[in-house]
Amino acid sequence: NLTAEGSPDLPSRLNNLANGLSDRYARTGALQDLQDAVGHWQRAVNLTAEGSPDLPSILNNLANGLSDRYARTGALQDLQDAQMTYERACREGQIVQPEVAILSSRSWGNWALERRQWQEATKAYAYGRQAIDRLYAAQTSRAAKETWLKEVQGLPANAAYALAKLGRLEEAVKVLEAGRARLLAEALEHNRRDLEHLDVVGHGDLLARYRTASEQLVALQQQAGQPDAQSADRPIHQPDYTAWRQQMEQARAELNATIEAIRQVPGYEDFFLAPSFEKIQQAAAPDAPLVYLATTPAGSVALVVTAAFQKSNFSEKLDFSPAPSPVTAIWLDGLTEAALRAAIYGPADDPALGGYLGAYDRWRRSPRDAAARDAWHKALDETARWLWDTAMRPVVAHLAALGAAQAVLLPAGLLGLLPLHAAWTEDATAPTGRRYALDSIAFSYAPGARALAEAQVRAAAHAASGLLAVDNPDGSLVFSHREVAAVRSYFPPHRTTVLSGRAAAHQAVVDRSADYPVYHFSTHGWAGWNEPLQGGLLLADGTSLTLGDILDLRLEGARLAVLSACETGIPGTKMPDEVISLPTGLVQAGVAGVVASLWAVNDLSTAMLMERFYRLWREDRLTPVEALRRAQIWLRDSSNREMAAYFQADVPALAGVRMPAEVAAELYVQRMLQADGDARPFAHPFHWAAFTMTGV
């Protein structure tokens, strides 16, 4: 009431008043509060100059208020006004406040998703995707890119779900791929053809032009569109933003033109360009489809991408049937975003951490507490059973119908925290009374098709001819020495280096890493739950090899890294769509495939699993993903007596041919000492399901 009519402060104060009334409405449910809030927002919009950087956020607030009023009254006019206002906020925001365009796009799209209006949702989310592309292209530092990527988490999955509902499946796949692991995809591109190399190949002018355009655009965005100084003939409540807006549009056009010019340089054709469906499909092998999994408030969808269908010239002349669709949608209606969060974190109305992660956290804090351990094992078991019912049963059935022996899972968001390969159902014919997803299909994981395609090229180019092993740097792991001794026995002695105890110093590991194609880390590990770059592996003298360190490495000749440690495969929860983890960091550094764990693992069962994995891979010549699958099944299904017989075979006759005799003898005795020879001590998923294969 004290703000004069015509004051330039009036729109912002009206906006603040409306926000307060909206908050009060959320508490009281009084319709008059909502009516008053909408009225004040409408007046604030009318008093805000066109082109003002404040206009998009006020429009977004007004649209939120109108959508709330529509939910309360069902008035068609409110529905139409909300739609138009959201779209206006998105359009204005694209130019002057892209971050608000993302916010408004998300609010509008989620509202449309809730009403099952797929076409409207697709239109809404397209604005947000365009805004993040613009913001991302204008940033030059990783920290700045992370800031904006954090704002768009979940939006690609929602957009893909709406597109899939419209039957636009290839577009849905492209949206999911473009929204996944953008930092990793960009790093892979830059590792192959570093942007700095433009100067070397005679295009230093383009490099300077790109930097200048990016810096100018960022500076204008930070300026937040300060209006020109007021003049006597211009009303005080109508500042002129025309000049600033023109500068923004010119800076954007210059940046876009520079990016297009860089794409004309050989080797830079894909610079800041989303992958085509054809390139995504190239990562799918004939017997190993890609399976994108997207979870939204409305439900989930699995998009199965198969390899390109090819006919011979002869059969093509005789067969007039259309080629099979390259993408199939499998609808998972019970797997909603709310259901997933409840499974992972517990009930939404419970302030304490519950669910899968709550049980895990309590056990990790008190690892010697038997009750906490049993509760965690139960939560893991129940979550894996729930995953079968809500997600993996129809996926496994579809893959089996395709005749696929393998599949690559690309789970979006928080779904990446869970062991999808260990989803299970009851089966009386199985040794443990259960059938798991990996019994039918050898599952691997990938951050994206672009990263997978790069890993496939590397895997084909590099032989696994030598080993660098890190063995128990702090001396606390009882079975680490046996594990590493068994692992090294599968490599030529002259091509094997083991860094044990204090010899496993940070610099020694970094210096030797470029000399070997296979790495085996038998040590302690930890996840960077909220700060992914701080996740790492323990080395000697309390030092560590963190994800941040790994991102600076160049391991272009590396075939496989096995992280036999705790929590080495957990993606950070800060930006789940980015899939930032130790495995993806190693893939970025140049490693074709990474074996890592989703939780804290048992020393003994891990040592046995690793020995069996290496034997199946190195001696039986299975692929790493198939070797890991069979090793997990062996550990799960074998009784004490069967494991004792397995290790006994290496004690007298084959010493030095397979694992070292002393290692085999110790594991043989350890199993024979168990009272129940028929018991399967490692049948629970805790012992075998933690490890996954990322890449190839």
Side-chain angles (χ1 to χ4, degrees), residues 303-330:
L303 297 173
V304 182
V305 180
T306 53
F309 180 75
Q310 295 181 339
K311 298 179 181 179
S312 68
N313 291 335
F314 179 73
S315 65
E316 194 172 53
K317 292 177 182 178
L318 299 178
D319 185 1
F320 298 99
S321 61
S325 173
V327 187
T328 301
I330 302 173

mmCIF file of all heavy atoms in Angstrom, residues 303-330:
data_model
loop_
_atom_site.group_PDB
_atom_site.id
_atom_site.type_symbol
_atom_site.label_atom_id
_atom_site.label_comp_id
_atom_site.label_asym_id
_atom_site.label_seq_id
_atom_site.Cartn_x
_atom_site.Cartn_y
_atom_site.Cartn_z
ATOM 1 N N LEU A 303 12.601 -48.723 -23.123
ATOM 2 C CA LEU A 303 12.714 -48.609 -24.576
ATOM 3 C C LEU A 303 13.849 -49.518 -25.029
ATOM 4 O O LEU A 303 15.020 -49.273 -24.720
ATOM 5 C CB LEU A 303 12.981 -47.164 -24.982
ATOM 6 C CG LEU A 303 11.862 -46.172 -24.631
ATOM 7 C CD1 LEU A 303 12.305 -44.745 -24.918
ATOM 8 C CD2 LEU A 303 10.588 -46.499 -25.395
ATOM 9 N N VAL A 304 13.503 -50.590 -25.727
ATOM 10 C CA VAL A 304 14.466 -51.594 -26.152
ATOM 11 C C VAL A 304 14.886 -51.289 -27.585
ATOM 12 O O VAL A 304 14.059 -51.309 -28.513
ATOM 13 C CB VAL A 304 13.867 -53.009 -26.055
ATOM 14 C CG1 VAL A 304 14.908 -54.059 -26.452
ATOM 15 C CG2 VAL A 304 13.358 -53.274 -24.639
ATOM 16 N N VAL A 305 16.174 -51.002 -27.768
ATOM 17 C CA VAL A 305 16.717 -50.649 -29.082
ATOM 18 C C VAL A 305 17.503 -51.843 -29.605
ATOM 19 O O VAL A 305 18.471 -52.287 -28.981
ATOM 20 C CB VAL A 305 17.643 -49.417 -28.988
ATOM 21 C CG1 VAL A 305 18.199 -49.060 -30.369
ATOM 22 C CG2 VAL A 305 16.902 -48.234 -28.385
ATOM 23 N N THR A 306 17.086 -52.361 -30.743
ATOM 24 C CA THR A 306 17.771 -53.498 -31.347
ATOM 25 C C THR A 306 18.674 -53.023 -32.476
ATOM 26 O O THR A 306 18.529 -51.922 -33.002
ATOM 27 C CB THR A 306 16.764 -54.523 -31.893
ATOM 28 O OG1 THR A 306 15.842 -53.852 -32.761
ATOM 29 C CG2 THR A 306 15.989 -55.168 -30.760
ATOM 30 N N ALA A 307 19.624 -53.888 -32.844
ATOM 31 C CA ALA A 307 20.549 -53.557 -33.923
ATOM 32 C C ALA A 307 19.794 -53.419 -35.238
ATOM 33 O O ALA A 307 18.692 -53.957 -35.410
ATOM 34 C CB ALA A 307 21.618 -54.641 -34.032
ATOM 35 N N ALA A 308 20.393 -52.693 -36.163
ATOM 36 C CA ALA A 308 19.759 -52.472 -37.467
ATOM 37 C C ALA A 308 19.495 -53.804 -38.154
ATOM 38 O O ALA A 308 20.356 -54.684 -38.194
ATOM 39 C CB ALA A 308 20.656 -51.592 -38.334
ATOM 40 N N PHE A 309 18.297 -53.956 -38.681
ATOM 41 C CA PHE A 309 17.904 -55.196 -39.358
ATOM 42 C C PHE A 309 18.457 -55.184 -40.772
ATOM 43 O O PHE A 309 18.306 -54.206 -41.504
ATOM 44 C CB PHE A 309 16.381 -55.309 -39.390
ATOM 45 C CG PHE A 309 15.882 -56.559 -40.063
ATOM 46 C CD1 PHE A 309 15.962 -57.775 -39.417
ATOM 47 C CD2 PHE A 309 15.340 -56.503 -41.336
ATOM 48 C CE1 PHE A 309 15.492 -58.932 -40.033
ATOM 49 C CE2 PHE A 309 14.869 -57.651 -41.962
ATOM 50 C CZ PHE A 309 14.948 -58.868 -41.307
ATOM 51 N N GLN A 310 19.118 -56.285 -41.152
ATOM 52 C CA GLN A 310 19.706 -56.364 -42.487
ATOM 53 C C GLN A 310 19.208 -57.617 -43.205
ATOM 54 O O GLN A 310 19.150 -58.701 -42.625
ATOM 55 C CB GLN A 310 21.234 -56.398 -42.398
ATOM 56 C CG GLN A 310 21.823 -55.108 -41.834
ATOM 57 C CD GLN A 310 23.333 -55.164 -41.782
ATOM 58 O OE1 GLN A 310 23.925 -56.224 -41.784
ATOM 59 N NE2 GLN A 310 23.950 -53.998 -41.744
ATOM 60 N N LYS A 311 18.855 -57.463 -44.455
ATOM 61 C CA LYS A 311 18.480 -58.599 -45.293
ATOM 62 C C LYS A 311 19.550 -58.795 -46.371
ATOM 63 O O LYS A 311 20.200 -57.841 -46.794
ATOM 64 C CB LYS A 311 17.130 -58.359 -45.974
ATOM 65 C CG LYS A 311 15.948 -58.180 -45.025
ATOM 66 C CD LYS A 311 14.681 -57.917 -45.837
ATOM 67 C CE LYS A 311 13.479 -57.705 -44.947
ATOM 68 N NZ LYS A 311 12.252 -57.424 -45.742
ATOM 69 N N SER A 312 19.698 -60.005 -46.800
ATOM 70 C CA SER A 312 20.569 -60.248 -47.946
ATOM 71 C C SER A 312 19.867 -59.739 -49.204
ATOM 72 O O SER A 312 18.649 -59.574 -49.231
ATOM 73 C CB SER A 312 20.866 -61.738 -48.087
ATOM 74 O OG SER A 312 19.687 -62.435 -48.459
ATOM 75 N N ASN A 313 20.622 -59.519 -50.251
ATOM 76 C CA ASN A 313 20.018 -59.048 -51.505
ATOM 77 C C ASN A 313 18.987 -60.043 -52.030
ATOM 78 O O ASN A 313 17.931 -59.668 -52.544
ATOM 79 C CB ASN A 313 21.106 -58.823 -52.558
ATOM 80 C CG ASN A 313 21.985 -57.639 -52.212
ATOM 81 O OD1 ASN A 313 21.542 -56.740 -51.505
ATOM 82 N ND2 ASN A 313 23.211 -57.640 -52.712
ATOM 83 N N PHE A 314 19.287 -61.336 -51.854
ATOM 84 C CA PHE A 314 18.382 -62.363 -52.367
ATOM 85 C C PHE A 314 17.085 -62.398 -51.567
ATOM 86 O O PHE A 314 15.992 -62.367 -52.119
ATOM 87 C CB PHE A 314 19.074 -63.724 -52.328
ATOM 88 C CG PHE A 314 18.195 -64.848 -52.808
ATOM 89 C CD1 PHE A 314 17.897 -64.999 -54.158
ATOM 90 C CD2 PHE A 314 17.657 -65.748 -51.900
ATOM 91 C CE1 PHE A 314 17.078 -66.024 -54.596
ATOM 92 C CE2 PHE A 314 16.841 -66.776 -52.338
ATOM 93 C CZ PHE A 314 16.555 -66.930 -53.695
ATOM 94 N N SER A 315 17.210 -62.448 -50.227
ATOM 95 C CA SER A 315 16.014 -62.547 -49.399
ATOM 96 C C SER A 315 15.186 -61.275 -49.477
ATOM 97 O O SER A 315 13.964 -61.311 -49.348
ATOM 98 C CB SER A 315 16.397 -62.827 -47.938
ATOM 99 O OG SER A 315 17.124 -61.732 -47.400
ATOM 100 N N GLU A 316 15.850 -60.142 -49.725
ATOM 101 C CA GLU A 316 15.120 -58.882 -49.808
ATOM 102 C C GLU A 316 14.173 -58.884 -51.008
ATOM 103 O O GLU A 316 13.074 -58.327 -50.954
ATOM 104 C CB GLU A 316 16.113 -57.722 -49.906
ATOM 105 C CG GLU A 316 15.487 -56.371 -49.672
ATOM 106 C CD GLU A 316 16.543 -55.287 -49.577
ATOM 107 O OE1 GLU A 316 17.357 -55.196 -50.500
ATOM 108 O OE2 GLU A 316 16.560 -54.557 -48.571
ATOM 109 N N LYS A 317 14.558 -59.550 -52.083
ATOM 110 C CA LYS A 317 13.704 -59.604 -53.270
ATOM 111 C C LYS A 317 12.474 -60.470 -53.035
ATOM 112 O O LYS A 317 11.423 -60.265 -53.642
ATOM 113 C CB LYS A 317 14.507 -60.145 -54.449
ATOM 114 C CG LYS A 317 15.605 -59.190 -54.922
ATOM 115 C CD LYS A 317 16.419 -59.804 -56.043
ATOM 116 C CE LYS A 317 17.548 -58.863 -56.478
ATOM 117 N NZ LYS A 317 18.384 -59.468 -57.548
ATOM 118 N N LEU A 318 12.613 -61.464 -52.144
ATOM 119 C CA LEU A 318 11.515 -62.384 -51.905
ATOM 120 C C LEU A 318 10.622 -61.976 -50.743
ATOM 121 O O LEU A 318 9.487 -62.440 -50.636
ATOM 122 C CB LEU A 318 12.074 -63.789 -51.636
ATOM 123 C CG LEU A 318 12.896 -64.412 -52.770
ATOM 124 C CD1 LEU A 318 13.419 -65.768 -52.339
ATOM 125 C CD2 LEU A 318 12.058 -64.537 -54.042
ATOM 126 N N ASP A 319 11.143 -61.142 -49.867
ATOM 127 C CA ASP A 319 10.424 -60.796 -48.637
ATOM 128 C C ASP A 319 9.922 -59.359 -48.732
ATOM 129 O O ASP A 319 10.712 -58.420 -48.766
ATOM 130 C CB ASP A 319 11.363 -60.955 -47.432
ATOM 131 C CG ASP A 319 10.640 -60.736 -46.113
ATOM 132 O OD1 ASP A 319 9.421 -60.483 -46.142
ATOM 133 O OD2 ASP A 319 11.295 -60.821 -45.061
ATOM 134 N N PHE A 320 8.594 -59.199 -48.788
ATOM 135 C CA PHE A 320 8.016 -57.862 -48.914
ATOM 136 C C PHE A 320 7.506 -57.336 -47.573
ATOM 137 O O PHE A 320 6.883 -56.290 -47.517
ATOM 138 C CB PHE A 320 6.874 -57.890 -49.930
ATOM 139 C CG PHE A 320 7.335 -58.267 -51.305
ATOM 140 C CD1 PHE A 320 7.186 -59.566 -51.761
ATOM 141 C CD2 PHE A 320 7.942 -57.336 -52.132
ATOM 142 C CE1 PHE A 320 7.618 -59.919 -53.033
ATOM 143 C CE2 PHE A 320 8.371 -57.681 -53.403
ATOM 144 C CZ PHE A 320 8.214 -58.981 -53.861
ATOM 145 N N SER A 321 7.762 -58.075 -46.500
ATOM 146 C CA SER A 321 7.316 -57.624 -45.182
ATOM 147 C C SER A 321 8.190 -56.479 -44.711
ATOM 148 O O SER A 321 9.380 -56.416 -45.036
ATOM 149 C CB SER A 321 7.383 -58.769 -44.166
ATOM 150 O OG SER A 321 8.722 -59.213 -44.034
ATOM 151 N N PRO A 322 7.627 -55.534 -43.948
ATOM 152 C CA PRO A 322 8.433 -54.404 -43.459
ATOM 153 C C PRO A 322 9.469 -54.878 -42.451
ATOM 154 O O PRO A 322 9.284 -55.891 -41.769
ATOM 155 C CB PRO A 322 7.387 -53.500 -42.798
ATOM 156 C CG PRO A 322 6.271 -54.422 -42.423
ATOM 157 C CD PRO A 322 6.235 -55.483 -43.487
ATOM 158 N N ALA A 323 10.564 -54.156 -42.372
ATOM 159 C CA ALA A 323 11.597 -54.475 -41.381
ATOM 160 C C ALA A 323 11.027 -54.275 -39.982
ATOM 161 O O ALA A 323 10.179 -53.402 -39.772
ATOM 162 C CB ALA A 323 12.809 -53.569 -41.590
ATOM 163 N N PRO A 324 11.434 -55.090 -39.025
ATOM 164 C CA PRO A 324 10.914 -54.929 -37.664
ATOM 165 C C PRO A 324 11.290 -53.572 -37.089
ATOM 166 O O PRO A 324 12.327 -52.995 -37.438
ATOM 167 C CB PRO A 324 11.586 -56.068 -36.890
ATOM 168 C CG PRO A 324 12.788 -56.439 -37.701
ATOM 169 C CD PRO A 324 12.426 -56.182 -39.123
ATOM 170 N N SER A 325 10.444 -53.067 -36.200
ATOM 171 C CA SER A 325 10.711 -51.766 -35.586
ATOM 172 C C SER A 325 11.985 -51.840 -34.749
ATOM 173 O O SER A 325 12.188 -52.805 -34.001
ATOM 174 C CB SER A 325 9.533 -51.362 -34.699
ATOM 175 O OG SER A 325 9.853 -50.183 -33.982
ATOM 176 N N PRO A 326 12.844 -50.838 -34.847
ATOM 177 C CA PRO A 326 14.090 -50.872 -34.075
ATOM 178 C C PRO A 326 13.904 -50.555 -32.601
ATOM 179 O O PRO A 326 14.827 -50.734 -31.810
ATOM 180 C CB PRO A 326 14.946 -49.803 -34.756
ATOM 181 C CG PRO A 326 13.949 -48.836 -35.325
ATOM 182 C CD PRO A 326 12.769 -49.669 -35.729
ATOM 183 N N VAL A 327 12.735 -50.047 -32.211
ATOM 184 C CA VAL A 327 12.487 -49.696 -30.807
ATOM 185 C C VAL A 327 11.151 -50.287 -30.375
ATOM 186 O O VAL A 327 10.155 -50.168 -31.083
ATOM 187 C CB VAL A 327 12.453 -48.165 -30.578
ATOM 188 C CG1 VAL A 327 12.360 -47.860 -29.089
ATOM 189 C CG2 VAL A 327 13.662 -47.488 -31.186
ATOM 190 N N THR A 328 11.156 -50.895 -29.212
ATOM 191 C CA THR A 328 9.927 -51.397 -28.604
ATOM 192 C C THR A 328 9.740 -50.731 -27.255
ATOM 193 O O THR A 328 10.705 -50.619 -26.479
ATOM 194 C CB THR A 328 9.982 -52.924 -28.414
ATOM 195 O OG1 THR A 328 10.183 -53.540 -29.685
ATOM 196 C CG2 THR A 328 8.696 -53.452 -27.797
ATOM 197 N N ALA A 329 8.525 -50.294 -26.960
ATOM 198 C CA ALA A 329 8.212 -49.698 -25.653
ATOM 199 C C ALA A 329 7.562 -50.754 -24.771
ATOM 200 O O ALA A 329 6.602 -51.410 -25.170
ATOM 201 C CB ALA A 329 7.277 -48.509 -25.816
ATOM 202 N N ILE A 330 8.102 -50.913 -23.565
ATOM 203 C CA ILE A 330 7.519 -51.798 -22.561
ATOM 204 C C ILE A 330 7.048 -50.912 -21.417
ATOM 205 O O ILE A 330 7.876 -50.255 -20.753
ATOM 206 C CB ILE A 330 8.544 -52.831 -22.060
ATOM 207 C CG1 ILE A 330 9.078 -53.662 -23.231
ATOM 208 C CG2 ILE A 330 7.925 -53.736 -21.000
ATOM 209 C CD1 ILE A 330 10.225 -54.586 -22.849
#
